[in-house]
Amino acid sequence: MQPEDRRFLDEAVAQARTGLAEGGIPIGAALVADGRVLGAGRNRRIQLGSPIRHGETDALEIAGRQTAAIYRRSTMYTTLSPCDMCTGAILLYGIPRVVIGENLTFMGAEDLLQDRGVEVQVIGDAECIAMMEEFIAANPTLWNEDIGV
């Protein structure tokens, strides 16, 4: 883990906590380039009635339009392993690095990211794991809807 990774993962965790407090799914993300948060977001599918506002896509939306050069030197921090949709967005924009809080409660398409040359680092953060375990146990129907089951 790079020295700044904890600080930026904490930004994603804060977004996850906010999402949970809003009645949403506790997944947060932050898009960072050059030591600066471009956009931090959270899963807002429930709050916005959206089929696509996962943590990573929300962070991208909040970051707004960026040049390809900025995406190519950025890192996506996310509290949970990216699903296929979020993986696709990371690949589409050429984001070269993803730092993941945890992948025990859900394993996304990390293998696809790695196969396409993206550096993937899984932290195994205890708070990320606990938030998701508690949410999934209390809200299995919402969770299954979020992951397309």
Side-chain angles (χ1 to χ4, degrees):
M1 185 163 62
Q2 295 179 8
E4 69 226 10
D5 287 344
R6 182 75 255 172
R7 176 171 59 121
F8 295 127
L9 182 60
D10 285 346
E11 182 79 28
V13 170
Q15 287 290 320
R17 283 191 216 112
T18 298
L20 183 60
E22 294 171 342
I25 298 169
I27 303 168
L31 181 66
V32 175
D34 305 322
R36 184 172 65 91
V37 176
L38 302 176
R42 57 193 170 274
N43 185 307
R44 294 193 215 207
R45 289 186 67 255
I46 295 166
Q47 299 92 311
L48 299 177
S50 169
I52 61 168
R53 288 301 274 273
H54 282 193
E56 299 89 340
T57 56
D58 195 49
L60 286 165
E61 177 71 17
I62 290 167
R65 291 174 57 193
Q66 303 293 324
T67 66
I70 290 173
Y71 288 125
R72 284 193 300 265
R73 63 178 187 262
S74 65
T75 298
M76 179 66 78
Y77 292 85
T78 180
T79 59
L80 186 64
S81 184
C83 72
D84 291 345
M85 177 177 65
C86 295
T87 292
I90 291 164
L91 293 174
L92 176 67
Y93 291 109
I95 297 168
R97 184 169 184 258
V98 178
V99 175
I100 299 167
E102 69 101 350
N103 64 1
L104 297 177
T105 61
F106 177 78
M107 173 62 78
E110 293 173 30
D111 57 344
L112 178 58
L113 289 169
Q114 291 171 327
D115 288 348
R116 297 281 296 273
V118 175
E119 177 189 342
V120 175
Q121 180 153 17
V122 180
I123 304 300
D125 183 79
E127 183 177 2
C128 293
I129 295 167
M131 268 196 294
M132 286 309 302
E133 285 178 341
E134 291 167 18
F135 181 84
I136 292 167
N139 303 281
T141 302
L142 284 177
W143 173 241
N144 287 334
E145 176 188 322
D146 196 63
I147 60 172
V149 174

